Amino acid sequence: LKLWNLLIIGAGPAGLRAAIAAAEEGLEVKIIDEFSKVGGRLLGQLHQEPSGKWWNGIEEANTLHQKAINLGVAIECGTSVHDLESSYLRWKVYTSKGVEEAENLLLATGATEVPLPMPGWTLPGVMSIGAAQVMGNVHRVKPGNSCVIIGANVLSIAIANELRLCGIEVKEIIIPLANISSKDDGNPEKVMESLMRLTHLAPSSFLRQAGKLAKLVNPSIAAKFYPKNGIKIDNIPIKIKTAAAEIIGDQKVTGVKTVQVKPNGEIIPNTEKVTEVDFVCIAGGLAPLPELAALSGCSFKYVHELGGHVPVHSERMDTNVPNLFVAGNITGVESAKVAMAQGKVAGLVIASAVKGSSETINAAIKKAVNEVRKVREEALIQFQPNIVDARKLIYRQFEQDKVEDRVVSIS
Amino acid sequence: MTMRVDNHPVLGKQGNHKQVTIYFNGEPHEAFEGDTIASALMAKGIYSLRHHEVSGNERGIYCNIGHCFECRVKLEGRKVVRACLTPVDDGMEIYSLSSFGERND
């Protein structure tokens, strides 16, 4: 059995970029991914940047893929990882095809969509917004001719336009009813607040306007005066005071029963209406996908701004488990560009651990860490405010855990 | 009517794909090489992939990238796979999973 210097789980932007950085330093690297194509969430991404240039995730993925192949990185798609263990400084990773062994392991598993359970959501034709995105942009199949999107956030507004480009009529973007699982997503004031927090860099003119509006009025006033029939962007009405009461259909979706809600999310009686559609998208946002990190025994911290529980790690992308590294959305939900920059840091840090540190590689790591900070600042899609502070919280926890480990081993 | 996005204003034309035939619950369907079971069936307007084990209600894809396991189907030889992650093969036989009450095997 081959012993890899570095095994990477996840062939998305973080995993691919890490593989390239490590292979450039002479490491033997393998990447495993359970999807049939390389690129992870990059594959679905398609939006226009303020410069007018299109961010085409498929092209970005192809470029990274080709670079990795040219550097001799082994890439295995269609393989799932279900367990891992470390003994005598060797990782054993159990996959659907067998076992892999490596000195270093990088988890770049990305993020998963947060479900918003509601009546009727198990009907065929109800899917996550990311599912529709992949169906349209990657498989080039429309899940139907018309849809409603439930959940008004930066991701759903961006993908609504992508569905429109596939020739799908997005009849409206509405919100879920306020309940224990939808939380702030079902509160128009909170939805308005989060849309207005988006900066002038946001990937749509509506969001840029909302960002400017935020400087003038507060979100609860904006929610109060938000028009009942919504504001259109790319011809798609965004209705933050219309909520999905039930998804209806027999054996398959036929429509969404909606109600009008007050700015605090309370239902306004006698406002029921049915919007007929072929399919429904649920947009509950993203959360880090950390199960494999949990199997390794590494410690976690819940950080709301990062999307949920994340493995405690340093800015060098190492965790408190020896030879275990993380990069990309598993460390917190941010854009693909941030994931790539983090991947590069991880690849270089692992290379310096394998090959020995030198002035050159230390300088390269320092530069790569600074690059992550810069990319984060300039990020087009900022999923949450205060990302920088939330990140610092994780890095502090990492240092604290290290000190506690030392105290335990002395006593 | 096809649900394929052959021409996309930004992504361009869909390349020429080799056509294959798959069988879903015995019915033949044409699909393209590179399709997953889920995308091939959705292109034909097939949303329901299985019946829930207990309620018997119809279920289809939810996340489309392997996380939720809602789209599990059975291949010949009883192997259960996720339709959204499994590429089609020419002649592939795919079956819906039925509810416990309907199962006699």
Side-chain angles (χ1 to χ4, degrees), chain A residues 34 80 112 128 131 140 142-143, chain B residues 3 5 12 47 62 64 67 82:
Chain A
E34 71 176 350
S80 308
T112 188
S128 73
R140 300 289 287 269
K142 291 191 283 182
Chain B
M3 298 307 281
V5 186
Y47 287 75
Y62 181 75
N64 206 17
H67 294 166
R82 285 166 280 178

Side-chain angles (χ1 to χ4, degrees), chain A residues 34-35 41 46 80 111-112 122 124-128 131 135 140-145 165 251-252 282 289, chain B residues 1 3-6 8-12 14 34 36 39 42-43 47 58-59 61-65 67 82 85:
Chain A
E34 71 176 350
F35 199 61
R41 285 208 186 272
L46 188 66
S80 308
T112 188
T122 60
V126 180
M127 64 197 75
S128 73
M135 210 43 110
R140 300 289 287 269
V141 171
K142 291 191 283 182
N145 289 314
L165 291 171
Q251 297 185 7
K252 192 203 152 269
I282 293 184
L289 190 67
Chain B
M1 190 177 119
M3 298 307 281
R4 301 271 177 189
V5 186
D6 292 325
H8 189 286
V10 185
L11 296 172
Q14 179 76 308
T36 59
S39 70
M42 191 153 265
Y47 287 75
E58 321 250 349
R59 293 294 176 91
I61 67 152
Y62 181 75
C63 81
N64 206 17
I65 54 166
H67 294 166
R82 285 166 280 178
L85 290 184

Side-chain angles (χ1 to χ4, degrees), chain A residues 125-279:
Chain A
V126 180
M127 64 197 75
S128 73
I129 185 111
Q133 179 190 41
V134 168
M135 210 43 110
N137 291 354
V138 182
H139 299 308
R140 300 289 287 269
V141 171
K142 291 191 283 182
N145 289 314
S146 62
C147 76
V148 162
I149 296 173
I150 303 172
N153 52 54
V154 56
L155 198 64
S156 74
I157 292 170
I159 298 179
N161 191 43
E162 297 176 21
L163 298 180
R164 189 183 62 85
L165 291 171
C166 284
I168 294 163
E169 185 197 356
V170 181
K171 288 199 166 170
E172 53 191 14
I173 299 177
I174 59 177
I175 65 169
L177 264 189
N179 62 31
I180 192 167
S181 67
S182 67
K183 297 191 186 99
D184 288 353
D185 292 351
N187 180 319
E189 280 174 10
K190 299 278 185 192
V191 171
M192 197 66 221
E193 192 184 324
S194 96
L195 291 179
M196 287 168 75
R197 249 193 245 121
L198 298 157
T199 66
H200 59 288
L201 285 171
S204 78
S205 56
F206 168 77
L207 294 177
R208 285 197 288 276
Q209 298 302 326
K212 281 177 200 160
L213 193 65
K215 294 190 180 84
L216 304 173
V217 293
N218 76 44
S220 61
I221 291 173
K224 194 174 166 204
F225 291 105
Y226 195 92
K228 189 176 81 124
N229 293 326
I231 292 175
K232 277 190 182 175
I233 143 171
D234 300 320
N235 232 5
I236 300 165
I238 303 174
K239 303 181 179 178
I240 65 164
K241 287 194 287 192
T242 300
E246 189 186 351
I247 300 167
I248 53 173
D250 175 35
Q251 297 185 7
K252 192 203 152 269
V253 165
T254 54
V256 181
K257 195 183 282 176
T258 64
V259 289
Q260 299 298 313
V261 295
K262 293 180 187 166
N264 65 4
E266 217 178 286
I267 296 174
I268 302 171
N270 307 317
T271 54
E272 269 179 35
K273 228 177 98 183
V274 171
T275 305
E276 286 178 10
V277 289
D278 294 336
F279 72 106

Side-chain angles (χ1 to χ4, degrees), chain A residues 13-196:
Chain A
L16 285 171
R17 193 64 193 82
I20 291 165
E24 276 173 344
E25 297 296 323
L27 265 55
E28 292 201 279
V29 184
K30 176 163 186 172
I31 314 181
I32 297 177
D33 194 294
E34 71 176 350
F35 199 61
S36 50
K37 294 182 170 77
V38 164
R41 285 208 186 272
L42 269 179
L43 293 173
Q45 293 177 7
L46 188 66
H47 58 252
Q48 218 164 357
E49 305 197 321
S51 65
K53 196 175 160 281
W54 282 92
W55 171 260
N56 181 339
I58 294 175
E59 272 174 16
E60 298 292 330
N62 286 344
T63 306
L64 291 171
H65 188 188
Q66 203 49 55
K67 253 188 207 163
I69 290 172
N70 293 347
L71 287 161
V73 174
I75 302 176
E76 186 177 316
C77 282
T79 297
S80 308
V81 173
H82 52 81
D83 198 10
L84 45 88
E85 61 181 349
S86 166
S87 66
Y88 303 104
L89 295 179
R90 251 181 209 213
W91 284 103
K92 264 193 156 156
V93 173
Y94 300 89
T95 77
S96 51
K97 305 251 171 75
V99 188
E100 296 285 349
E101 289 193 344
E103 295 166 348
N104 295 284
L105 184 61
L106 171 65
L107 301 179
T109 48
T112 188
E113 284 188 74
V114 179
L116 296 175
M118 64 185 75
W121 82 308
T122 60
L123 279 168
V126 180
M127 64 197 75
S128 73
I129 185 111
Q133 179 190 41
V134 168
M135 210 43 110
N137 291 354
V138 182
H139 299 308
R140 300 289 287 269
V141 171
K142 291 191 283 182
N145 289 314
S146 62
C147 76
V148 162
I149 296 173
I150 303 172
N153 52 54
V154 56
L155 198 64
S156 74
I157 292 170
I159 298 179
N161 191 43
E162 297 176 21
L163 298 180
R164 189 183 62 85
L165 291 171
C166 284
I168 294 163
E169 185 197 356
V170 181
K171 288 199 166 170
E172 53 191 14
I173 299 177
I174 59 177
I175 65 169
L177 264 189
N179 62 31
I180 192 167
S181 67
S182 67
K183 297 191 186 99
D184 288 353
D185 292 351
N187 180 319
E189 280 174 10
K190 299 278 185 192
V191 171
M192 197 66 221
E193 192 184 324
S194 96
L195 291 179
M196 287 168 75

